Structure formats: structure tokens, C-alpha cells
Amino acid sequence: MGEHHTSSLPTEPLLLPENHLIRKLPVIGAVLAVLGIGGALAFGGELRAFSYLTGYIFWLGVALGALFFVLVFNLARASWNIALRRIVENMAMTLPMLAVLFIPVLYFMGDLYHHWLHPEGDPILEGKAAYLNVTFFLVRTAMYFVFWCGMAWFFRKHSVDQDSDGDRQHTAKRQSFAAPGIAIFALTLTFASFDWIMSIDAHWFSTMFGVYYFAGANVAFYAVLAVILLWLTSTKRQKAVGGIDRVVSHQVMHGIIRADHLHDVGKMMFGFNIFWTYVTFSQYFLIWYSNIPEETLWFAHHFENGWETSFWVLGFGHFLFPFLFLISRNVKRSRLGLLAGAAWLLLMHGIDMQWLVMPMASHGGVHAHFGVTTAEILSFIGVGGAFVGTWGYYMCKSSLVPIKDPYLKESMSYEVALS
Amino acid sequence: MASDAKEWGLLAEFENPAAIYHACERVRDAGFKKWDAHTPFPVHGLDDAMGLDRSKLPYVVLVMGLTGACLAMLLQWWVSAVEYQMVISAKPFFSWQAFVPITFELGVLFGALGSVFGMLGFNQLPKFHHPLFQSARFERVTDDRFFISIESTDVRYEPEGTAQFLASLGALAVERIGDPNAK
């Protein structure tokens, strides 16, 4: 019964080997962050505020996707994810760093949110001033980060502490807090996307906007997770004289995270991508159908200056091609297939985030044409460096698998049924 | 090699999941094709031990789903843009956006129907009776016993040889199952 999958259950904490690349990530990440963010802010030109926000919300989504993963699988008492849960808990611990990296957004508030910062004489914006004002905006922003960082810390603490004492109470605490945690997460993510992205065009509103950001963020998170897991389970092979490849060395998670786990990560990525399509189309469809100027204006702005190209690129590139490619079980179970799907979807998520933010820059008197600015690339690398570096820092600090989790054995012998 | 026309096949009884798991590996390796394993609950890894191929059901679902989606789009195009043109809120006759929900729903509906009826078809269900139900011993398959059945139509089937082979796999008992249709 499953003998062919048996891998030995780790009893000692599984630590990163000396000289592992992840041990150097905090330094590499810090250098990338300083160069990337510094370069974007110093030499980014007139579009630097919008460019920085684009790079920022890309990585914020990955971190929030990680937090949601921890919340939802604790809530569901799922066991398949235990073997890879620590890696994800460490990804959620980038949220405090992302809170610090929100400072440039605050600094550029005047560029990004000039519509609602000066509502005088505009009856619509004056009507929204009770919500969209600087004080309340800052209070809400602080609240989002307090909740997110608190939850990321709580779930990682009750996971890491279990490594040493093996107390099942930690599991119980995580599971019982996950229920209110999901509710808090849903509200904070929704309002954060309203405040930070949707309010760039303060006249416009869409109640689906939070779900839109959530769906795309999860696609990006599972894509990043797939890339990380493929890396940490990879093997180095050598052509032997007889012509049969021989494994000469393998990465640290090889044998713990198996094809069945990667298959599930691929399925979650595929599922959330269909969900993204569903939400994206629904938002567009309702606005297209009712055809009311106060709603359609947002799409008008996002169809100017060449940005309509992004709309079509997303329709085919974010939905149709990945749908047809990743629908196959064989592709999701193939290392190369999953890597290609994940890398492609990360590119598409970048285009999606850019499409949300950049076209609006034109309404501050600066023209943003379809294309990529240097500041966007630098912001992406800079915030990404901070993300990866922070993740690497936490990866060095504890065992890579929750060794005393009561469901670890179940997770490691997990099998996707033949269908 | 000539199989008895009145014999449906053989039924072998096993005591526990480990016994049937290893027995299945041997039956698979012996090259039998028309055989099955019957267990009270899913046994992990039994699919591999039996050497089962992937189900063809996903292809049925895919074809049905695409058929449903295409039919829906075709129907809406014909109704709205060809047969009974009507201007609705100043939009073009062929407004693909408006047709997406029905296209999606009909794709899902056809896919679901293909999945249910395809599953029934591949399993040759529904049926009123099965030769194995003649065995009183087989009643324990829903309780605490594990069975392997090999049909007499398998090219490797030999009335005596296969029975001995099944007994050699550690079966508690090997029973001959008659063919109720052969009378």
C-alpha cells in the first residue's frame, strides 16, 4: 500500500545545507532591493509613482496569496499541504517588509491619489470625502498591515514552536483562529485594493474589484510557489557510461515534496486562473451591458494610449492559452510543463497589474503609453529582491518542514488518485 | 486454452489490503487483461499494482464541453444575428460579450452530462445483475474481504491453471463462477 512512495519521515529538523543559495538570498535580495527601488525612485522620471505601485502590488499579491494559503488550509484541516507549509509561512512573513516598502506609496500619494486628495468643487468626490481622506486612509493602511503581519506571525509561530515541543495545541490554535482570520483577510484585502488601486480613479467604483485583485494574486502566488518547489526538489543528473542518467545530487526538499504535491499546486494555479477569468469577465460584462457613463469611463481610460492591447493580451494570454495548456494532467505533472505555465502566468499577472495602474497616470497630466518603463522593471526587481531576501531570511531560521506536525506523515504519503 | 463456455470466471478471496495489493501485482505481471479487484474501501496504490491505464473519461468530458460551448454560441448567433434580428440597447446583433454566460453554462452542462453518462457507459452501468453476485462469499466485499476476479474470456485464462495460480497468490479460497447467460 503505497510502498513505492515511501520516503523516510524526517525526525531531526531539516535545515538548509551550508552554502545553499537561499542562505545568501538575504544579502542578494538587499542589494537588489536597494538598487532596484533606489533606481526606480531616483531615475524613474514622471511615471515613477505609478511604476513603483505596479511593482509593489505584484509582490504584495504573492505575499497575500501565501497568507491565504496558510489560512485556508488550516481552516479546512487539510493534510496534503503540510510538507510544503513552512515554505509558504515564510513567504507570508514578507508582509512586515512589504509594510515598510509601502512608505514610497505614501510619499507619492500626491501623484497617485490627486483626484480624491483635492475633492473641492467635485460633488462626487466631496460625497466620498468621509471615506477618502488622508487621515482615514492612513488609519486603514495601518490596520491592514497590523492584521496581515499579525496573522503571518501567529501562524508561523504556532508552526515553528511545534517543531520543538510537538504539542498538538498549536495545531488546534491555528485551526480555530483560521476561521475569523479568513473573514479579517477578506475584508482587509478587499478594502486595501479599493484604497490603493481602485481609488486612483476615485470617481469609479466596482464592488468586484477586491475579488479581482484576490484572484490574480492567488494565481501569482501559486506560480511563485511552483517555481520555488520545482527548484527545491530538482536533481542534478549525470550521463553514465551505459547511457542511463544517474542522480548525482539533489536539492533539499527532494523526496519530501513529490510530483503529487506539485500536481496539486498546478491544479490550484489552474483553478484560480479560471476564477480570475470569471471575475474579470463578470466585472467587464456588467459594465458593458448597463453602459452607464460613470462606470464605462474606467474602461475608456484603460482603452486609451494603446492600453487596449493589454486587454486583448490578457484575454488570450491570461486565460485562453494557459487554460488549454494547463488543462492536461500530464502537463501539470511534468516539471517542465508546470514551470512553463507558472512563468507565463507570472508574466501575465505583471501585465494585469500594469494594466490596472499605468493607464491612469495619463490623468495626472503625464502620458503613459502602452509599453514598459524602466522604473517598472526596476520596481519589480527591487520589491522582488526585498520579498525574496526576507523569505530567504526566514527559510534559514527554522526547519524546512514542520517535523512534529501530527499530519506530516499523511502529507508525505499523499497521492493524487489516477483519473 | 479453450475455456468452458458455461464458466464466467474465477473469484479469489483475500484477507487484507496487503495481500490483495501483492496479489494484484502478480496478476498484472502475469499479463491478464480481463480481471478486476474488489475491495470494501479504496486501497492506496492499487491502481498502480493493477497496472490500470488512465481513464478515457476526461476526453469525453472535453469533447462534450467544447461541443456544448460551440452549440451555445452558434444558437445565439443564429437567433440574434440571423433569424430574428432585434436591436437591444443599441448593441450590435452579434455581441459576443452577451453570449458568454450561456456559452459557459452550456459548456459546463454538456461536460457534466458527458462526465456522468460517460462514467456509466465505461462501467457498463446500469445493469440488473452481475455473475459475481451468485457467490455467497462475495457478499463480504462490502464488509471485510478483498477479492480478485478473472474472466474466462481473457486469452490467458485456463480453467485449472488460473485457479492454481490464484491459490498460489495466497488466496483464502478460489471459487468458480458460472455464467448465468449460458444456460
Side-chain angles (χ1 to χ4, degrees), chain B residues 89-146:
Chain B
S89 58
K91 291 181 165 65
F93 292 123
F94 184 77
S95 295
W96 65 267
Q97 294 94 331
F99 302 159
V100 166
I102 302 290
T103 304
F104 171 72
E105 297 296 348
L106 217 63
V108 171
L109 176 67
F110 271 55
L113 291 175
S115 150
V116 172
F117 289 104
M119 180 276 291
L120 291 176
F122 285 132
N123 286 317
Q124 296 170 17
L125 288 173
K127 59 170 71 173
F128 296 111
H129 192 259
H130 192 278
L132 285 175
F133 294 160
Q134 300 169 103
S135 163
R137 182 176 277 122
F138 192 63
E139 287 173 9
R140 287 177 78 176
V141 74
T142 55
D143 190 2
D144 61 349
R145 278 292 193 267
F146 303 79

Side-chain angles (χ1 to χ4, degrees), chain B residues 10-16 19-20 22-23 26-27 137 145-148 162-175:
Chain B
L10 288 163
L11 180 69
E13 181 180 4
F14 294 88
E15 190 165 20
N16 54 47
I20 199 173
H22 295 299
R26 300 271 304 276
V27 177
R137 182 176 277 122
R145 278 292 193 267
F146 303 79
F147 294 90
I148 288 178
T162 307
Q164 281 167 14
F165 170 67
L166 282 171
S168 75
L169 300 180
L172 298 175
V174 179
E175 184 179 336

Side-chain angles (χ1 to χ4, degrees), chain A residues 13 88 94 121 130 161 165 184 207 209 217 248 312 325 339 344 371 385:
Chain A
V88 180
T94 57
D161 285 359
D165 59 22
I184 294 168
T207 48
F209 198 84
V248 286
W312 291 106
F325 181 67
L339 181 66
W344 177 261

Side-chain angles (χ1 to χ4, degrees), chain A residues 143-184:
Chain A
M143 274 172 56
Y144 304 149
F145 281 117
V146 166
F147 279 125
W148 294 341
C149 299
M151 287 196 284
W153 172 83
F154 174 89
F155 281 98
R156 189 175 180 278
K157 177 186 159 50
H158 282 292
S159 176
V160 172
D161 285 359
Q162 200 172 38
D163 284 357
S164 48
D165 59 22
D167 190 350
R168 291 185 75 118
Q169 275 306 109
H170 292 303
T171 303
K173 274 184 183 157
R174 288 198 313 266
Q175 289 175 345
S176 58
F177 183 71
I182 286 272
I184 294 168

Side-chain angles (χ1 to χ4, degrees), chain A residues 56-91:
Chain A
Y56 180 82
I57 60 173
F58 181 99
W59 289 104
L60 179 75
V62 177
L64 289 175
L67 181 59
F68 182 69
F69 177 103
V70 174
L71 282 166
V72 80
F73 289 122
N74 271 299
L75 181 67
R77 303 187 177 183
S79 61
W80 74 271
N81 65 309
I82 305 291
L84 46 122
R85 197 188 65 213
R86 181 62 47 78
I87 295 172
V88 180
E89 286 163 351
N90 291 335
M91 284 166 84

